[in-house]
Amino acid sequence: MYNGAGLVFNIQRFSIHDGPGIRTTVFLKGCSLRCYWCHNPESLGAAPELQFMPSRCIGCGACVEACPLSRGKATARFTPACLGCGACADVCYSGALTLAGKEYRAGELAEALLKDRELMKSSGGGVTFSGGEPLLKADFTALVFTALRAEGVHTAVETASNVPWEAFGKLLPLTKLFICDIKAPDAELHRKGTGAGNELILENLRRLAAAGADILFRIPVIPCYNDSVDSIGRIGAFIKSLGRPLPVELLAFHNICAGKYDALGREFAARGTKPPPGASMEKLANTLRALQLEVIWKQQ
Ligand code: SF4
Ligand code: SF4
């Protein structure tokens, strides 16, 4: 039985990148893919996770005192025994230890989001649920969106679409815009980069387009993975095959998230990868434009 709560690791106000106007983006924990370039590594696990920044640690020892598993020595952070309870982060006043993942009740979150409703409405903005994979928490998202739509707030989800169709079914009536990633044109390449094939994703996208949903496609451009004219062209051909004039945005890979992997004590498999040059991005944008697709891409 669903308990009406969801685990949020970030609430970003005044966002201008996740849909129209000025928005608040809510990042939920938990994802069904493991993209090796993921720039939100704190989103992947479904449970709260500790983050540690050694440069902020003043060696006060308060975390050791607070940890129920420390036995007077080190805390249990980054060990399999760690409970993710956050007792150490609660007493770390320098900010060296933080806990990614805070539980919200749907009503509590909606109330917090609605404080910005006038700004959202006057800018043509709204609220975007991202992650992680918000459609893994479709019941929670639907509860919050119901409250937001009742107040006339625009709603969007950013999804990798690797979820059962039933999740889309719950959100279709409540979601004004679906921002859908497409990472690779075929199952083999998709599995290599994300750990899962793309058959379910493509089927969901076909059904979503056929249902008349407003969709913005996003392609993360990852050097030495999907940045060839052939790969991007085949993704463009899929979008074209949906038979509707749906826009597509190219997002250039960046590695500024490397510090987040360090803070979580995790390897970052794309650490040595450089962002794609502007000329390469323009070439890929032109590949999509040649298919008469509307392309959004800005030099960063
Ligand atoms: S409580 Fe924070 S600042 Fe103090 S020792 Fe632990 S991590 Fe370092
Ligand atoms: S989250 Fe809890 S169990 Fe893990 S290190 Fe911190 S206090 Fe110890």
Side-chain angles (χ1 to χ4, degrees):
M1 182 74 176
Y2 175 59
N3 70 357
L7 203 58
V8 174
F9 72 87
N10 191 14
I11 297 177
Q12 193 174 322
R13 297 169 71 208
F14 312 119
S15 167
I16 53 168
H17 299 296
D18 298 313
I22 298 175
R23 311 188 71 79
T24 298
T25 304
V26 177
F27 294 88
L28 300 183
K29 272 185 71 64
C31 189
S32 56
L33 296 179
R34 288 294 179 270
C35 308
Y36 73 85
W37 61 86
C38 179
H39 61 266
N40 282 333
E42 71 275 48
S43 75
L44 298 177
E49 288 173 89
L50 272 183
Q51 303 169 113
F52 177 57
M53 297 179 71
S55 61
R56 292 193 184 167
C57 178
I58 55 172
C60 67
C63 53
V64 179
E65 291 287 315
C67 178
L69 303 176
S70 72
R71 295 201 189 102
K73 298 181 212 150
T75 71
R77 75 171 176 252
F78 301 155
T79 73
C82 175
L83 305 167
C85 64
C88 53
D90 285 346
V91 297
C92 180
Y93 298 111
S94 74
L97 277 171
T98 52
L99 193 68
K102 179 182 174 203
E103 190 169 278
Y104 280 84
R105 310 290 305 174
E108 173 196 12
L109 180 57
E111 195 180 324
L113 296 169
L114 283 169
K115 287 184 181 150
D116 286 332
R117 63 157 82 70
E118 294 312 323
L119 174 65
M120 291 169 185
K121 283 189 196 170
S122 64
S123 71
V127 171
T128 300
F129 268 40
S130 182
E133 175 51 73
L135 270 75
L136 286 178
K137 304 291 179 321
D139 290 319
F140 176 69
T141 304
L143 280 175
V144 180
F145 277 16
T146 299
L148 297 176
R149 293 300 300 136
E151 296 287 335
V153 173
H154 182 279
T155 50
V157 291
E158 188 178 11
T159 176
S161 307
N162 188 43
V163 293
W165 171 255
E166 288 67 34
F168 280 97
K170 286 174 183 170
L171 289 176
L172 254 173
L174 298 164
T175 304
K176 302 295 282 181
L177 175 66
F178 288 85
I179 303 171
C180 298
D181 275 14
I182 303 190
K183 303 163 200 295
D186 59 72
E188 191 184 345
L189 187 65
H190 201 275
R191 189 169 290 106
K192 194 172 152 201
T194 73
N198 65 351
E199 299 90 340
L200 174 64
I201 294 169
L202 299 187
E203 181 56 23
N204 281 336
L205 295 179
R206 285 188 199 98
R207 292 178 74 168
L208 195 60
D214 206 355
I215 305 173
L216 166 65
F217 289 105
R218 275 188 170 165
I219 307 174
V221 176
I222 315 300
C224 302
Y225 175 66
N226 67 354
D227 62 336
S228 68
V229 165
D230 176 64
S231 281
I232 299 298
R234 284 193 290 143
I235 293 174
F238 170 79
I239 295 171
K240 189 79 182 164
S241 76
L242 298 174
R244 290 179 48 205
L246 297 165
V248 53
E249 184 173 16
L250 291 176
L251 293 181
F253 166 84
H254 63 72
N255 50 21
I256 55 179
C257 58
K260 295 206 250 181
Y261 282 85
D262 295 339
L264 289 159
R266 289 212 200 125
E267 283 301 311
F268 179 30
R271 188 179 296 270
T273 303
K274 300 265 186 297
S280 303
M281 292 293 292
E282 187 56 28
K283 189 172 167 188
L284 298 177
N286 284 336
T287 301
L288 297 172
R289 290 186 189 114
L291 295 166
Q292 282 82 51
L293 291 170
E294 180 193 343
V295 183
I296 303 161
W297 169 70
K298 291 192 198 100
Q299 182 84 50
Q300 303 201 356

